[in-house]
Amino acid sequence: MTDSLFDKLGGEPAVDVAVDIFYRKVLSDESISHFFDDTDMDEQRAKQKSFLTMVFGGPHEYTGKDMREAHAPLVEKGLDDSHFDAVAGHLQATLDELGVPEDIAGEVMTIAASTRDDVLNR
Amino acid sequence: MATLRFDGGEIPCTGDTTVLDALLEAEQPVAFSCKTGMCLTCLLQATEGSVPEKSQKGVKDTLTAQGYFLPCVCIPEEDLELASPNDADLFSRAVVTGKEMLSPNICRIVMEPATPLYYRAGQFLNLRRDDGLMRSYSLASVPHLDRQLEFHIKRLPRGKMSNWICDELATGDSLDIQGPNGPCFYLPDRKQGNMLLIGNGSGLAPLIGIARDALHTGHAGDIHLYHGSRHVTGTYLHGELLELESEFVNFHYAPCLSRDEPPAGYRAGRAEVTAIADFPDLKDWRVYLCGYPPMVKSARQKSYLAGAAMGDIYADPFDLRDLRTEPRKEE
């Protein structure tokens, strides 16, 4: 049996480490941080964790519909491709920082890219 | 949609409406204050039907077992039969034994509870006047050091309770007290760890309690307390804190002034900005933030970005009732 992507990345402990690195990058980026001004940090971190679990290939309950509903208010505030690209950049930087090999990081980025249309409600 | 049965009537609660908002829309005379699930002023009992777990967060288990919950953060999933809180479940009496003005706007009151109160330094109580007016105030005292309860009441423009306490409450008067409440207190499990305490205004009250609690129970790590105020007169415990600093080598006090020119011994700038500039790496620190909500929010984010774990940041925003979004109704 071959290891799943989630196992190769280190499973839930890896997500726990990644989420703080990732969320700190997102919060520090002034081009996107204003989208989170009204959100509770605990809830937001929990959401980032679910998102990372999904793109790490882990067990998750996200559906395209959830993605659309969650981001619809942000799209109204102007969320567009440039913001999606910024977040994707922070995800890539997080994977780099964790020393994830290029081929595995590539798989993660492919899953993340597949959410673009749902996130931007297209 | 859920139906709320309260005081003989049936009240619909639809969509994302909270139980509190549904009751207020139906003009029910229910007490409330912060509307964010923090202050516990609006506690009600669900005698039939179950409430979402989230609406019992911060309520102690002897009360949740009886169906007590926070209507201001409860979006009901089923019909509920509601009852006003039973006074004996929540309140006891305390008598005012001392009162003094610490600054032009901050009053210290000392109270003796009728029955011993088990609390942790940094928690808060709700004080209720005999006509029902109720507000939350942090304890400044430490249970194992102080025999009585101490509060620092900041006078707020238009603040009904704070002005009454500052101007009219007298030694010998009694108030109802409810609590202790709140998760912002010292934890003795990491004695070597450093602690950063940031407060503005009367947000100093819980912090001095937490600092004294830690110092007197042998905390070995450094404790840095930043107190922010616009003016020198707002640093209302300057003398006491300097004394504490000379008594404990691991206690460090930094008064920060955001408006007045800082005299010797003071720092210029806002407390949270100064603190994080002094300590840009907060990995493994515990951080306590008390006072004006925008400061607490900003300091929380800054602390997290400086490396503090989310679970190590304890925030106690002093949400004021007068800042809520609806117009004030007469009580």
Side-chain angles (χ1 to χ4, degrees):
Chain A
M1 200 178 106
T2 53
D3 277 351
S4 70
L5 175 63
F6 193 53
D7 293 332
K8 281 188 244 174
L9 282 158
E12 201 179 333
V15 174
D16 278 326
V17 175
V19 67
D20 282 320
I21 298 175
F22 176 62
Y23 186 29
R24 285 188 179 112
K25 287 185 192 298
V26 169
L27 270 182
S28 309
D29 181 346
E30 282 174 17
S31 74
I32 48 178
S33 60
H34 62 277
F35 287 111
F36 306 110
D37 276 352
D38 296 329
T39 57
D40 175 84
M41 279 178 68
D42 282 320
E43 283 176 23
Q44 194 55 40
R45 184 177 175 278
K47 283 181 190 163
Q48 306 284 11
K49 196 174 162 180
S50 317
F51 170 71
L52 287 182
T53 304
M54 179 186 73
V55 297
F56 278 23
H60 68 91
E61 290 170 6
Y62 257 120
T63 64
K65 185 166 164 280
D66 293 335
M67 278 281 180
R68 284 175 177 272
E69 282 176 7
H71 292 92
L74 303 183
V75 172
E76 267 176 45
K77 284 194 216 165
L79 188 79
D80 64 22
D81 281 304
S82 71
H83 305 115
F84 187 92
D85 292 340
V87 173
H90 293 309
L91 178 60
Q92 179 69 59
T94 301
L95 298 168
D96 292 346
E97 210 170 307
L98 290 171
V100 175
E102 215 171 295
D103 56 328
I104 299 175
E107 285 186 60
V108 172
M109 294 310 293
T110 305
I111 300 175
S114 73
T115 66
R116 183 185 292 262
D117 284 351
D118 285 330
V119 166
L120 298 177
N121 277 257
R122 289 193 293 228
Chain B
M1 185 190 103
T3 301
L4 310 173
R5 287 187 299 280
F6 182 63
D7 204 19
E10 293 205 343
I11 297 158
C13 190
T14 52
D16 288 342
T17 309
T18 63
V19 169
L20 178 64
D21 282 335
L23 293 173
L24 292 175
E25 275 162 33
E27 299 186 343
Q28 296 295 318
V30 287
F32 69 96
S33 186
C34 77
K35 295 188 90 176
T36 61
M38 297 290 293
C39 77
L40 281 75
T41 302
C42 65
L43 268 177
L44 284 180
Q45 195 175 9
T47 51
E48 297 273 343
S50 52
V51 293
E53 201 181 317
K54 190 185 161 202
S55 70
Q56 293 186 310
K57 196 177 159 198
V59 181
K60 60 180 179 181
D61 50 9
T62 50
L63 294 176
T64 58
Q66 299 175 70
Y68 279 99
F69 71 104
L70 300 171
C72 68
V73 288
C74 178
I75 296 165
E77 288 158 2
E78 55 183 88
D79 294 354
L80 298 174
E81 171 101 34
L82 303 174
S84 293
N86 181 352
D87 257 27
D89 287 343
L90 300 185
F91 292 94
S92 57
R93 287 296 265 187
V95 61
V96 178
T97 56
K99 178 179 168 181
E100 63 172 317
M101 293 307 289
L102 293 169
S103 82
N105 287 318
I106 293 183
C107 173
R108 176 188 344 235
I109 59 168
V110 180
M111 299 183 85
E112 170 99 36
T115 50
L117 183 76
Y118 297 96
Y119 69 96
R120 307 224 208 184
Q123 291 192 290
F124 69 88
L125 298 186
N126 286 316
L127 303 186
R128 187 173 70 171
R129 199 165 74 175
D130 286 350
D131 65 354
L133 184 68
M134 181 157 78
R135 295 289 184 267
S136 309
Y137 293 104
S138 288
L139 287 149
S141 46
V142 180
H144 58 93
L145 299 174
D146 308 308
R147 226 168 44 82
Q148 300 185 313
L149 310 175
E150 177 178 327
F151 305 89
H152 303 159
I153 315 294
K154 184 171 185 196
R155 185 197 292 276
L156 300 167
R158 296 192 300 134
K160 277 191 184 177
M161 188 73 156
S162 60
N163 280 294
W164 176 76
I165 289 174
C166 289
D167 297 334
E168 293 179 49
L169 182 73
T171 302
D173 290 350
S174 288
L175 287 171
D176 290 325
I177 57 172
Q178 181 272 317
N181 310 307
C184 196
F185 48 78
Y186 175 63
L187 294 163
D189 58 334
R190 279 154 48 183
K191 292 268 182 225
Q192 306 299 324
N194 293 329
M195 292 165 60
L196 180 60
L197 280 46
I198 308 174
N200 52 12
S202 57
L204 180 58
L207 297 181
I208 191 171
I210 289 166
R212 288 176 66 232
D213 189 9
L215 293 167
H216 285 276
T217 50
H219 191 82
D222 281 317
I223 301 176
H224 294 269
L225 169 61
Y226 287 75
H227 183 217
S229 172
R230 285 189 194 135
H231 307 292
V232 176
T233 50
T235 57
Y236 64 93
L237 289 180
H238 194 66
E240 284 181 38
L241 288 164
L242 289 177
E243 255 176 58
L244 198 62
E245 197 173 34
S246 59
E247 193 181 343
F248 293 94
V249 289
N250 58 333
F251 178 69
H252 313 277
Y253 161 57
C256 303
L257 299 179
S258 60
R259 192 154 309 166
D260 282 0
E261 192 63 33
Y266 283 81
R267 306 282 297 276
R270 286 165 33 173
E272 78 279 18
V273 176
T274 311
I276 307 284
D278 287 352
F279 299 102
D281 181 4
L282 294 176
K283 190 172 183 300
D284 298 329
W285 286 55
R286 278 209 168 109
V287 182
Y288 293 84
L289 310 167
C290 304
Y292 186 51
M295 183 286 285
V296 169
K297 189 178 174 187
S298 141
R300 192 166 180 229
Q301 180 166 333
K302 285 184 167 65
S303 307
Y304 176 66
L305 292 179
M310 198 85 91
D312 284 339
I313 306 172
Y314 302 84
D316 188 1
F318 291 4
D319 283 300
L320 305 178
R321 177 169 163 136
D322 287 354
L323 296 177
R324 70 184 201 269
T325 46
E326 292 104 15
R328 186 176 191 131
K329 286 183 187 142
E330 276 312 308
E331 287 167 272

